[in-house]
Amino acid sequence: MTTLTGTGTLLRFALRRDRVTTPVWIAVNALMVLSMPNTLQSLYGTEAERADLVRQLETNASFRALIGPIHDTSLGGLTAWRVGVYAGLLAAVTGLLVVVRHTRDEEAGRAELLASGAVGRRASLTAALLAAGVANGVLALLITAGLANQGAAGALALGVGVGAVGMVFATMAAIVAQLTESARLARGLTSAVLGAAFVLRAAGDSAKSDGSSVWTWLSPLGWLENLRPFAAERWWVLLLFTAAVSAQAAVAYVLAGRRDLGMSFFPARPGPAAGRLGSAAALAWRLQRGGVLGWSLGFFLAGVVYGGLTEGAADLVGDNENAREIFERMGGRGGLTDAFLASMVGMLGLVAALYVVASVLRLHGEETSGRAEPLLAGPVGRLRWAAGHLTIAFGGSALIMLLAAAGFAVGYGRQAGPILAACLVQLPAVWVIGGLAVVLYGLAPRLAPAAWGVAVAVLLIGWVGPALNAPQLVLDLSPFGHLPKLPGGEMAWTPVLTLLALAAVLTASGLAGLRRRDVT
């Protein structure tokens, strides 16, 4: 038996386990990229409008840091500019999630069962990397085929570049998974590296308008940018991706061959001899505090960045009526500055829905991993156990929106009160999504991961819908479509109170289901 025996079987198993989540991530990413040419055609249909956009970006370092420089003013070049970095980010997240999920099965005891059969020592790692490769390969094909009419070479460069970013972070996650004992820590550390890569690219692009900064070249996202799809492609940049993927994969294979099953090179620190957690709520906080702190920092920094961009929003849009209309559809029909602020706050609200789903589904993870059953066997009721996690889910979403408001106040320096109100008014819609997650977990735990699909669908409606001029009926499918557009718009209490009541009903229904059903 070789070290790769059983790889094919494990790969099929991995693809089957990911048959819902991975296609959703791929579809979201591909749709974001492929919908952009039509949107950009309506925004910047003339050469004069495109030339004005280039001039504005050359003098606006904040927007360059957020999106990147423009290397070509064709529709393909503008698409690569507008969504290239963010498509790379989503591909990286997909890759790291897939690899960590299929290399840290040791926590659930599945890896030990598999290892007792005819399975090679490195088969699990190989299957995980191949699963990530399949996901990123499909994404690359979709982007290449969908943008081929904008230029075959540019479409191929963008598709391969986005997939290559995904594989860089997939192989990085493979290394981190060998160094740590828990999947949660592996995901957190790899995500932190991804965040650092984005910051490095942003710092480099804000310093130089052509992407030539050393800081940009230190980031794999900067490599994607400097591949320059649709702008005299630099094919040699793909050698950087190849070298990084090969080197990281080699390190991961060496570590996997030397690590004991269930262990890591940096084992978890032992806890105190006497337990200090006196309640189920304290345990929930202990389990989720890292996520809360990470999301809090991210939302505060996002508020600072978006607040700093507000002053330049009017200059960037200029006389472009189509761009002004999109901001108004997202943020209301107040002044352009208010519409920009409302649209950015709304985007953070959409992202907060992802946080609340992740936090609620921690209940599902604790149950399926077998950690909930010993706890519930003691003097802890199901509702009391669930209440600890739900308090962090719903209260944490309020906290991160408050910190986003604080970030806007720091970055913009004005309208602190109206921006605070705009951030808080997002919470009823966020809590409705959280309530749906509770319903799925409480009534049909096997379908609980489908809450991610709901959150992603809402994100797409709120993000892509206004740009595609989607009908109001489609926008109203999202709870965020019913919220008042603050700042700048009028406060409407009826939809806010209705959404709050709906969130309460959904949460109560889910808890009632949890109380009556069997624990998995």
Side-chain angles (χ1 to χ4, degrees):
M1 183 176 70
T2 67
T3 58
L4 298 182
T5 300
T7 298
T9 302
L10 290 180
L11 174 60
R12 291 193 295 272
F13 178 56
L15 294 177
R16 185 179 183 281
R17 287 182 67 193
D18 293 340
R19 65 187 181 276
V20 175
T21 55
T22 298
V24 167
W25 281 103
I26 294 172
V28 169
N29 207 342
L31 181 59
M32 178 183 69
V33 175
L34 301 184
S35 65
M36 197 51 58
N38 289 334
T39 302
L40 293 170
Q41 176 64 41
S42 65
L43 288 174
Y44 308 104
T46 66
E47 287 298 327
E49 290 174 334
R50 298 178 188 181
D52 184 59
L53 174 64
V54 172
R55 285 194 299 271
Q56 292 292 343
L57 279 173
E58 287 177 348
T59 59
N60 195 319
S62 297
F63 273 98
R64 285 203 312 273
L66 186 64
I67 303 176
I70 295 178
H71 298 298
D72 186 80
T73 58
S74 65
L75 280 181
L78 290 178
T79 298
W81 158 72
R82 184 63 184 83
V83 295
V85 168
Y86 294 96
L89 276 172
L90 285 179
V93 171
T94 303
L96 73 90
L97 290 178
V98 169
V99 169
V100 171
R101 184 182 190 190
H102 298 297
T103 52
R104 296 308 314 185
D105 268 358
E106 298 159 27
E107 294 181 66
R110 285 186 290 264
E112 189 172 1
L113 291 174
L114 292 172
S116 65
V119 175
R121 190 174 184 85
R122 296 181 174 88
S124 178
L125 174 60
T126 305
L129 290 175
L130 288 175
V134 169
N136 284 293
V138 170
L139 176 61
L141 287 174
L142 289 174
I143 293 175
T144 301
L147 295 180
N149 61 335
Q150 304 296 333
L156 179 62
L158 182 58
V160 172
V162 169
V165 171
M167 289 310 298
V168 167
F169 285 93
T171 51
M172 184 180 298
I175 295 176
V176 176
Q178 309 304 316
L179 300 177
T180 60
E181 280 193 9
S182 71
R184 184 172 68 254
L185 182 56
R187 286 191 295 266
L189 291 177
T190 311
S191 299
V193 176
L194 178 57
F198 183 86
V199 171
L200 285 173
R201 191 233 23 111
D205 287 343
S206 66
K208 293 189 177 182
S209 60
D210 59 354
S212 62
S213 170
V214 174
W215 298 109
T216 302
W217 282 103
L218 290 176
S219 168
L221 296 173
W223 303 347
L224 173 59
E225 180 182 287
N226 278 295
L227 184 57
R228 296 194 177 183
F230 302 100
E233 294 79 13
R234 295 173 168 178
W235 297 105
W236 59 268
V237 176
L238 292 177
L239 295 176
L240 296 176
F241 289 109
T242 303
V245 171
S246 301
Q248 291 181 153
V251 172
Y253 273 99
V254 170
L255 295 176
R258 297 181 178 180
R259 181 176 62 86
D260 290 335
L261 186 66
M263 300 299 293
S264 66
F265 286 92
F266 299 125
R269 185 178 59 185
R276 294 196 294 257
L277 299 178
S279 66
L283 175 60
W285 168 247
R286 175 66 179 82
L287 293 173
Q288 298 210 42
R289 65 183 181 183
V292 173
L293 294 175
W295 282 88
S296 297
L297 178 61
F299 266 59
F300 176 75
L301 293 178
V304 173
V305 171
Y306 289 143
L309 296 176
T310 303
E311 289 286 359
D315 293 334
L316 187 66
V317 173
D319 297 328
N320 192 317
E321 291 299 327
N322 290 318
R324 185 184 298 271
E325 181 181 350
I326 288 178
F327 275 124
E328 289 178 349
R329 293 198 76 194
M330 294 179 69
R333 295 190 176 277
L336 182 59
T337 298
D338 285 341
F340 177 81
L341 285 170
S343 62
M344 294 301 100
V345 169
M347 285 303 304
L348 290 179
L350 293 169
V351 176
L354 299 178
Y355 162 80
V356 79
V357 168
S359 187
V360 168
L361 292 187
R362 189 59 190 269
L363 288 165
H364 183 257
E366 291 295 298
E367 181 177 347
T368 55
S369 65
R371 291 188 291 267
E373 190 171 2
L375 185 66
L376 295 175
V380 177
R382 296 187 186 188
L383 297 186
R384 182 180 163 197
W385 168 68
H389 288 278
L390 296 185
T391 299
I392 295 171
F394 292 95
S397 59
L399 173 63
I400 62 176
M401 292 307 298
L402 284 171
L403 289 172
F408 272 102
V410 172
Y412 185 41
R414 306 178 192 175
Q415 299 188 13
I419 292 175
L420 175 61
C423 289
L424 293 180
V425 85
Q426 304 297 316
L427 292 176
V430 173
W431 290 344
V432 166
I433 303 301
L436 285 170
V438 177
V439 165
L440 289 172
Y441 167 66
L443 299 179
R446 293 176 64 89
L447 299 178
W452 284 113
V454 175
V456 170
V458 168
L459 182 64
L460 279 177
I461 291 173
W463 192 358
V464 181
L468 296 180
N469 200 24
Q472 189 61 41
L473 180 63
V474 174
L475 299 180
D476 287 342
L477 292 175
S478 166
F480 291 90
H482 303 276
L483 296 173
K485 305 299 184 181
L486 302 178
E490 294 184 2
M491 181 61 192
W493 286 102
T494 300
V496 170
L497 296 176
T498 301
L499 290 174
L500 285 174
L502 178 59
V505 170
L506 290 172
T507 303
S509 301
L511 290 175
L514 173 63
R515 187 178 182 183
R516 290 179 174 84
R517 69 170 174 83
D518 293 333
V519 175
T520 302

